[in-house]
Every structure is written in structure tokens, then in C-alpha cells.
Amino acid sequence: MNVTKVTDDTYLLSVNVENILFEGLWEIPNGVSLNSYIIKGEKTAIVDGVCGWDGYPESLFNLLDKLNIESKSIEYLIINHMEPDHSGWIESFKKINPDFKVVCSKKSAELLEAFYGHTDNITVVKDKDTLDLGNGHILKFAEIPNVHWPDTIATFDTLTGTLFSCDAFGSFGNLTESNYDDMLDEEKLDFYENEAVRYYANIVAAFSMPVKKAIDKCSPLPIKIIAPGHGIVWRKNPTRIIEDYLRYASYQKGPAKEEITLIWGSMYGMTEKAVNHAVKILEEENIKVNVHRVPETSWGTILASAWNSTGIILAMPTYEYKMFPPMAAVLEELGKKKVQGRKAFSFGSYGWSGGAQKELDEIMNKYCMNWEFIEPVEFKGSPREESLKLIEVKVKELVKEVREAVGATVNS
Ligand code: FEO
């Protein structure tokens, strides 16, 4: 729980949340911060909110105490979007301060009623609408739908150049006392970069086109500070996170980084023998490889890795005429998150019949994933020398394709 000054009249209130699954689904090994902002003009506004994951806003009230702000003095609540990680405190807040005014998009207003039965004192805003808080703080709104919910807006303080961007430009990872890019060394910035990719891949990935549109819309604004709903605030170099997000969006259709993600599962160690051989070859080829076993590795970790990787290797046995089920589940998720346009190769063991390949084709078609596969290698039982040799050739071919695809982007 933390209160810090962002810039003149503007404060960040943040709470770290750990030991939960974000959205009830995503593992967050390094936690996540929920960020709320206070803007003090002649009138005071709060942008989004923070509360414990149980929906109780004591954390927020404690943070307001630290700033000597009476809850009742908050005149405006600006809802950038209605997902309950930002809005879960509203019902309790209403009991303390029944007269606050809400500023939000039309869709947020509908959701506000649906989630919390709140219909009073709502001002619906659209692109370029403004709200004057006094003392020069004129807030301007921009609709950025589907980043990440359809109701999302960004709020821009024209006086301080601060863009309150909601989920856009956010990251996982707990905050410390050093919540700002200007207070972090390169190692720490790398930590938040990894957390940003994980956040993007898990939460925003399916909306990469809206992300690009949102960046196009907000770019003409004279942005000095980016203040997202999760993660660090960018004061020194906001362009860095904007460019990172543009890069993440471009990874959707590939190519991404010069990396290969190898996802594998094995029942009795037959496919595992071939995996060990493939990893050895990849290491000899001196390419970065991320190896994840299913079902042991969480979907969130695999998604982040696949999002970053131009090449993907799938290694799994056939299981009862189908693909090894945890691999099928992960691939379905990659399809839903639109991990597209990868260079790929698959191999695996079968017993009395094949079938994994057929299901793989079905999933690729179902989600229009457009992965370019090298011819697969399926072997009966344990992999013999001949199969291992073939896998070696194909792995080297994949490495070559990945390098060519990334090189073509760099040179274009
Ligand atoms: Fe951070 Fe989409 O809520």
C-alpha cells in the first residue's frame, strides 16, 4: 500500500495484490499493483480505484488518509473502465460519499448499473469531451474501446500532460517505493518489461488491433507522463512503454523475437527422449529457447513465452486417438489469444495409432492461427536413431526459418 506524488496536484495510490489468480485464471508469480490516481484542482477527482481483492476498499481509504483527503471531498469518480479490479470498491465508497459524480463512457454507465446498481449523477463522455477541475486541470477523454473491455476510455490531464491509460501500457509485478521509471535502473526496468509482456499476453493480447488504434488516437496528445492502472508510471521516458506496446501488438501475427518456445508433454517418457534431443540441438544452434512442460506450466507463462517467440515447437504424444489433452488445452488458449503466424514444428510418440496431428490441424483451422509448419515427425513407441536424426534436421530447418523471418523484419 503506497501513496506517492506523480506530479503537481497528482498522486498515485497503489495496492499490491498477490497469491491470487488474476481474473480467477492467470498466475501472477510477482504479483500485480492496482493503481488509482487523485487529481486535485479546485475540485478533486479520483481516477479508477483500488481495493483488496475481496472488494473492500479499506486500502483505498487508508491511502486517502495518508494524503489527508476526506473521502467526502472527492467530487468526481472517473471510471476508465468497469472491470472490478478497478471498480470493486464503488458500492462501499457510495455509503461514505453518496454525492459523488461519475464520469465514464456510455458502456461503462450500463455496466455500472449491471454490477453495482448505480445510476445516479453520471456524466457520459465521448471522445474529446472535457471536464474542468479548476486550477488549470482540464481533463480530456478519449474512447479506447477493447483495451481491454469495450467500455474503456483514457483520461488526459491537459495541464500536466498525464495520460491515465487504464489497462493500456500496464504490467504485472508488484510496486515498491520506486514506482516510476525515473527511479529504476535498467535491471528493474527489464523486470517490468517482462511483467508487461506477461500482462499483455494474458490480458490484452486478443485485442491487439484495438491497442494499435488506441495508440494512434492518443499519440497526437502532448503526453509527458503515462499513468496506467497496473504497474509503474512512466515519467522519464513514456515513449518506451508506448513503443513496447506497439511491438507487442505487432507480435500477434508474427514474427516476434528470435526465440523458440518448446511446449511439451509426455506420458511415459518416449516423447521426452526426443524433446531432450531437440533441446540439445537448439542449444547447439545458439538460439534462445523457452521450454515448458504441460500440464505443469501455467497457461499464463506459456502464453507470454509464445507471444515473444517467432518459432514454436510442439512435442506431445497421441492420447486415445487425439492429442495429449493438456497440449490441446494450451493450444486452444493460444488460438483464443490470437497467437498467429508462427514458424512451427511438431513431433511426438504414438502407440497403437496416431491422431495428435489431426487434432492439431483442427485447432489451427478453428482459430485461423496461420502457423507455418515444417513436416511433422511422429514415431511409434520410443524414438529410434532414425527419428531423432529426422527431428534434428527439422529443428535446424526451423531455426533457419525463424532467423530469416526475424531478419526480414529487421531489414524491412
Ligand atoms: Fe485492469 Fe481490464 O482491468
Side-chain angles (χ1 to χ4, degrees):
M1 205 160 64
N2 202 341
V3 184
T4 50
K5 184 172 179 177
V6 178
T7 187
D8 294 342
D9 308 326
T10 308
Y11 301 89
L12 160 64
L13 288 60
S14 67
V15 170
N16 290 329
V17 179
E18 297 173 286
N19 303 319
I20 56 138
L21 295 174
F22 195 80
E23 294 186 334
L25 173 64
W26 305 108
E27 183 191 40
I28 41 172
N30 297 309
V32 63
S33 71
L34 307 179
N35 298 345
S36 178
Y37 298 91
I38 292 281
I39 309 166
K40 288 173 85 172
E42 288 166 12
K43 298 165 186 167
T44 299
I46 185 166
V47 181
D48 296 325
V50 294
C51 60
W53 211 249
D54 51 10
Y56 290 102
E58 274 68 23
S59 324
L60 176 67
F61 299 148
N62 289 337
L63 292 169
L64 291 174
D65 282 347
K66 287 190 184 185
L67 276 175
N68 291 322
I69 290 179
E70 285 267 330
S71 302
K72 285 186 180 163
S73 72
I74 296 176
E75 187 159 343
Y76 292 103
L77 162 62
I78 294 159
I79 298 176
N80 274 340
H81 96 152
M82 264 296 296
E83 193 167 8
D85 54 334
H86 307 279
S87 69
W89 59 290
I90 290 175
E91 274 182 316
S92 303
F93 182 63
K94 199 170 160 180
K95 287 176 193 154
I96 295 167
N97 179 3
D99 300 323
F100 70 96
K101 298 166 187 157
V102 172
V103 178
C104 65
S105 69
K106 183 168 180 289
K107 281 198 170 69
S108 278
E110 291 164 13
L111 292 167
L112 188 58
E113 181 175 10
F115 275 76
Y116 308 118
H118 184 92
T119 53
D120 304 330
N121 290 330
I122 298 174
T123 301
V124 167
V125 290
K126 310 180 295 303
D127 272 340
K128 298 184 180 168
D129 283 353
T130 58
L131 173 69
D132 190 349
L133 296 178
N135 294 341
H137 293 279
I138 297 172
L139 307 182
K140 194 170 181 180
F141 303 100
E143 293 170 274
I144 52 167
N146 299 314
V147 190
H148 121 253
W149 277 21
D151 60 322
T152 311
I153 58 170
T155 299
F156 183 67
D157 186 338
T158 54
L159 181 65
T160 62
T162 306
L163 183 71
F164 302 95
S165 57
C166 196
D167 282 353
F169 312 122
S171 72
F172 284 143
N174 285 337
L175 293 188
T176 62
E177 289 296 317
S178 311
N179 300 329
Y180 301 89
D181 66 333
D182 48 283
M183 300 168 84
L184 300 170
D185 60 21
E186 210 44 51
E187 189 185 338
K188 267 292 174 192
L189 287 170
D190 281 351
F191 167 82
Y192 284 111
E193 145 89 47
N194 286 333
E195 291 295 318
V197 174
R198 190 182 181 96
Y199 176 81
Y200 188 96
N202 291 191
I203 309 301
V204 190
F207 309 105
S208 290
M209 277 303 290
V211 167
K212 284 186 198 166
K213 282 185 188 167
I215 291 174
D216 284 347
K217 184 179 271 187
C218 294
S219 290
L221 296 169
I223 297 170
K224 291 185 187 153
I225 298 171
I226 287 187
H230 307 283
I232 59 170
V233 173
W234 299 82
R235 283 191 303 209
K236 182 180 166 191
N237 188 6
T239 308
R240 178 168 171 159
I241 190 68
I242 294 172
E243 287 177 352
D244 280 348
Y245 258 63
L246 275 173
R247 191 160 49 79
Y248 306 154
S250 78
Y251 289 172
Q252 182 190 354
K253 293 184 192 303
K257 289 186 180 174
E258 191 179 293
E259 293 180 17
I260 291 178
T261 289
L262 193 163
I263 312 166
W264 70 282
S266 188
M267 286 184 281
Y268 299 110
M270 305 304 151
T271 298
E272 186 173 5
K273 288 181 193 172
V275 167
N276 292 338
H277 186 61
V279 170
K280 180 172 145 288
I281 301 303
L282 288 163
E283 285 169 353
E284 285 170 5
E285 290 292 307
N286 204 23
I287 190 163
K288 184 170 180 202
V289 57
N290 315 298
V291 182
H292 304 295
R293 183 172 189 170
V294 289
E296 285 83 349
T297 313
S298 73
W299 287 359
T301 298
I302 294 173
L303 251 175
S305 178
W307 198 263
N308 259 340
S309 297
T310 297
I312 297 191
I313 296 176
L314 307 171
M316 66 286 178
T318 289
Y319 181 93
E320 296 177 356
Y321 306 103
K322 294 279 206 176
M323 189 190 299
F324 187 52
M327 179 67 84
V330 164
L331 283 176
E332 290 267 349
E333 198 53 38
L334 294 183
K336 288 174 195 166
K337 293 292 185 186
K338 301 188 179 6
V339 181
Q340 299 171 345
R342 270 29 183 192
K343 305 290 180 189
F345 169 51
S346 73
F347 62 86
S349 169
Y350 63 92
W352 63 90
S353 89
Q357 184 61 41
K358 183 169 176 290
E359 191 173 4
L360 175 57
D361 294 340
E362 287 167 4
I363 293 172
M364 288 294 136
N365 288 334
K366 180 175 170 187
Y367 295 104
C368 303
M369 292 167 80
N370 197 27
W371 291 11
E372 279 178 43
F373 276 90
I374 291 170
E375 195 181 345
V377 177
E378 290 192 284
F379 47 87
K380 192 173 175 77
S382 184
R384 308 284 179 223
E385 197 53 41
E386 188 186 340
S387 297
L388 293 176
K389 189 69 205 159
L390 201 51
I391 286 169
E392 183 174 330
V393 170
K394 308 274 183 185
V395 165
K396 286 180 178 172
E397 196 179 327
L398 181 73
V399 171
K400 185 165 172 280
E401 287 192 6
V402 165
R403 289 196 162 128
E404 283 174 359
V406 175
T409 320
V410 171
N411 297 325
S412 64

